[in-house]
Amino acid sequence: LEMTPEVKRVLAAGPYADNLQRCLSDVVVGFGPFRFDLLRLSCKELNFLIERICQYDSYRLKDLSDDKPVVIDAGAHIGVFSRFVFHTFAEATVYSLEPDRENFSLLNENLKDFEQSHRFQRAILDKKDVMDFYVSRRIDWRSTLIPNKASPYAKQFDEGEMETSYQVEVLDLDSFVEASGMNKIDLIKITIGS
């Protein structure tokens, strides 16, 4: 992970960064430039994701035998896994789903150059519906459809970290596959919290 001069300047700003609403930055990773929001995902966290997904091949992508795989990336976040798919298989087709509005914006940015990338701002659940989406003000991977007051993270609701910002379309995986017209699926990667 190579930090751009912009990232280094923001990190040097230290406590002054608290007043920023958004700090978009680009980093250079093994598969090219990659955009993320430094205020929602630290360089250390991004590096961890890239290491787990790419270096350790956590989702066993390299085990696929088809050189034109069809992949569903549910909970696509900002596109690290989807980009890794295209880096590994140039002729892949990837269906990326991400309900978080800000993450989805970055997902679009990170996948815009890939013709076989299909992106949807939707969530996968066990039903079709429109639901409130609870967004974390601090950490982008803690947003959720279903707040669990019994979880260890329940205090985030009490402390005002979570807010209902908007509604998102949810659908079950079978309905999504049918609506997308897929005739085969080689890998389904699901990283969702609800």
Side-chain angles (χ1 to χ4, degrees):
L1 183 64
E2 178 186 318
M3 287 192 285
T4 62
E6 294 83 11
V7 173
K8 290 178 183 176
R9 280 196 297 276
V10 170
L11 292 176
Y16 305 107
D18 288 343
N19 296 322
L20 298 173
Q21 295 296 313
R22 197 162 189 214
C23 180
L24 297 181
S25 186
D26 295 311
V27 292
V28 178
V29 294
F31 44 71
F34 198 79
R35 179 155 277 213
F36 72 108
D37 185 346
L38 188 58
L39 298 181
R40 296 186 84 208
L41 183 71
S42 72
C43 288
K44 184 177 180 180
E45 290 167 324
L46 179 60
N47 193 44
F48 176 80
L49 287 173
I50 292 168
E51 179 181 78
R52 293 288 169 208
I53 291 170
C54 305
Q55 182 180 347
Y56 297 130
D57 193 20
S58 296
Y59 299 105
R60 302 182 58 122
L61 181 65
K62 294 177 182 174
D63 289 350
L64 296 180
S65 57
D66 190 335
D67 61 347
K68 297 179 182 179
V70 175
V71 175
I72 296 174
D73 184 359
H77 192 238
I78 60 174
V80 174
F81 178 74
S82 296
R83 281 283 293 273
F84 183 52
V85 172
F86 289 117
H87 176 72
T88 307
F89 299 100
E91 297 186 59
T93 300
V94 180
Y95 295 84
S96 306
L97 297 102
E98 174 55 49
D100 185 293
R101 186 180 292 150
E102 288 186 39
N103 287 343
F104 186 73
S105 172
L106 292 168
L107 175 73
N108 274 326
E109 190 71 27
N110 289 322
L111 297 176
K112 68 183 177 189
D113 296 330
F114 298 92
E115 187 177 317
Q116 291 300 102
S117 169
H118 307 280
R119 301 169 301 278
F120 304 88
Q121 188 183 349
R122 296 189 184 116
I124 295 293
L125 205 59
D126 60 350
K127 61 183 177 181
K128 287 175 142 181
D129 203 350
V130 174
M131 296 179 66
D132 289 336
F133 189 67
Y134 297 87
V135 178
S136 169
R137 294 180 188 176
R138 295 185 200 129
I139 303 171
D140 68 342
W141 49 263
R142 286 214 318 219
S143 299
T144 185
L145 288 168
I146 304 169
N148 181 352
K149 300 284 186 176
S151 83
Y153 299 109
K155 68 178 185 167
Q156 68 198 24
F157 291 94
D158 299 331
E159 294 172 358
E161 175 186 337
M162 303 299 268
E163 63 182 11
T164 304
S165 295
Y166 46 89
Q167 292 191 316
V168 295
E169 181 182 345
V170 299
L171 66 165
D172 61 275
L173 192 56
D174 290 336
S175 297
F176 175 74
V177 169
E178 183 179 322
S180 300
M182 289 179 237
N183 57 8
K184 76 167 191 154
I185 302 169
D186 295 291
L187 178 67
I188 302 173
K189 174 250 174 205
I190 300 175
T191 310
I192 57 176
S194 296

